[in-house]
Amino acid sequence: MIGEGREDQKQNDLFFVCGLIEYIARKTKNRRSVVVNSIGKEGMKHIYDYADVYHCENIDKLNDEFTVEYHISVGQYDNLSKAKYRIPTHWEIGKVYKRLIIDVATATNSDYIDTLMVVFNSWIVEEIDNYNSSMFFESPSYLFESYKAGYALA
């Protein structure tokens, strides 16, 4: 059947939003929580609802527009310069967050945006942001179980 095994459109929209959050955070040198909280739940919902349109835009243009619209100033957080190894792309990290958010939303019977707000404000972001560790390479089930436990499982 055509389309079998393809990602659901709303999951793809979530992936775009997560990748965009990562991109804006890197460009503005902010923690991911700063970006998410600056945009706010309603702003995140808007971006998610129009992700199919926004994904056609130049990501630098979106970065410029959203940093102005949501008053995201340049910060001091720079996890990229601390990396000793290959830095994953913003899309690779977006996929990590997308999978985790879907797992948490499914387990808690929450919508994606509510879950996104909680996950990006949780302890696990610092672990995923440390590109000298292997946390962002871990399996989705490991990340989910660690998230539920409240710490990185051994």
Side-chain angles (χ1 to χ4, degrees):
M1 172 177 257
I2 295 176
E4 190 172 318
R6 290 184 53 201
E7 188 173 67
D8 171 271
Q9 182 61 45
K10 290 318 227 175
Q11 292 179 0
N12 189 49
D13 292 345
L14 179 62
F15 162 66
F16 172 80
V17 171
C18 292
L20 181 64
I21 291 165
E22 180 69 19
Y23 190 83
I24 293 171
R26 289 178 182 194
K27 288 294 188 179
T28 62
K29 294 189 186 307
N30 279 299
R31 295 184 184 282
R32 283 63 189 151
S33 61
V34 169
V35 172
V36 168
N37 294 333
S38 295
I39 295 172
K41 182 179 174 183
E42 290 307 312
M44 294 307 313
K45 183 169 177 5
H46 172 81
I47 294 168
Y48 174 71
D49 288 343
Y50 290 93
D52 60 333
V53 175
Y54 287 135
H55 88 270
C56 297
E57 294 282 343
N58 178 299
I59 197 162
D60 286 314
K61 179 179 179 271
L62 290 174
N63 174 65
D64 292 346
E65 288 175 3
F66 291 144
T67 55
V68 170
E69 181 176 351
Y70 296 109
H71 311 287
I72 303 170
S73 57
V74 175
Q76 299 291 319
Y77 183 72
D78 185 9
N79 64 321
L80 302 181
S81 67
K82 297 173 188 167
K84 296 177 185 174
Y85 311 109
R86 183 181 90 65
I87 298 169
T89 69
H90 59 281
W91 296 125
E92 289 171 319
I93 295 299
K95 186 176 277 190
V96 169
Y97 284 116
K98 177 205 81 166
R99 289 174 177 159
L100 179 58
I101 290 165
I102 290 169
D103 287 346
V104 173
T106 301
T108 60
N109 200 27
S110 301
D111 73 30
Y112 289 160
I113 297 305
D114 286 338
T115 306
L116 178 147
M117 299 299 291
V118 171
V119 166
F120 274 104
N121 280 286
S122 74
W123 68 271
I124 203 163
V125 176
E126 291 297 318
E127 298 295 323
I128 293 170
D129 276 357
N130 179 0
Y131 301 142
N132 295 322
S133 77
S134 63
M135 190 64 132
F136 65 90
F137 278 126
E138 296 292 347
S139 71
S141 60
Y142 173 83
L143 290 175
F144 176 63
E145 292 301 324
S146 292
Y147 177 84
K148 284 191 330 186
Y151 59 90
L153 299 173

